[in-house]
Amino acid sequence: MCISSTDASAAGRGVPERWCGGVLKVGEPRKAADRVIGAIECAWFGETALLDDASLPLAVFAGRTAPLRQLAEEILTCASRPWHVVHQGVGVEDMVGVCRSGVGVSLLFAAAEDRRHLPVVPRGRLPEPARHLP
């Protein structure tokens, strides 16, 4: 996942390298004034036993345009990995609860392993993100 910034007052004035205010957004840069200022690694979380299901039980953010949801669905679909939504949450705590309870698997920021003590899906068991969210 990348983080981009837009600062209308600094756009085009060559004000890189320092934060000048403006708006931080998660997602692909959409305007000429947007620029990527960093990347956040993503990882799969959930109980390994769920990976053996014919269709992966997926916990996603409720908003269809949520970047982590879009990336998870894109990764699984491109890899022809069957999946179905078992939970649509409104926040990270919802995803954490579903992953901890063994109900579903979710794509979250990799830091969730340390900060939330979530079970990590071992590398290679699910398709890796080809890119991290900007």
Side-chain angles (χ1 to χ4, degrees):
M1 170 171 279
C2 295
I3 302 171
S4 62
S5 69
T6 300
D7 183 350
S9 64
R13 289 193 292 138
V15 191
E17 308 304 344
R18 67 183 178 89
W19 177 245
C20 299
V23 179
L24 276 178
K25 300 185 285 188
V26 175
E28 294 288 344
R30 294 192 174 129
K31 299 184 238 171
D34 291 352
R35 62 189 167 92
V36 175
I37 61 172
I40 301 172
E41 185 178 354
C42 299
W44 293 103
F45 294 93
E47 296 297 329
T48 307
L50 295 173
L51 307 179
D52 297 329
D53 292 355
S55 177
L56 183 71
L58 190 62
V60 295
F61 292 93
R64 285 227 173 267
T65 59
L68 284 170
R69 178 182 183 151
Q70 288 180 333
L71 183 58
E73 292 176 354
E74 174 186 311
I75 291 167
L76 295 171
T77 300
C78 288
S80 300
R81 175 65 159 99
W83 57 274
H84 64 282
V85 173
V86 293
H87 180 78
Q88 295 185 56
V90 294
V92 174
E93 289 304 321
D94 289 348
M95 302 302 109
V96 167
V98 171
C99 291
R100 278 191 188 142
S101 69
V103 172
V105 173
S106 190
L107 184 70
L108 300 170
F109 301 136
E113 177 183 8
D114 296 328
R115 295 186 66 211
R116 308 282 184 175
H117 308 291
L118 291 176
V120 180
V121 172
R123 289 198 180 269
R125 294 293 310 270
L126 285 175
E128 294 292 323
R131 62 180 176 80
H132 297 291
L133 284 179

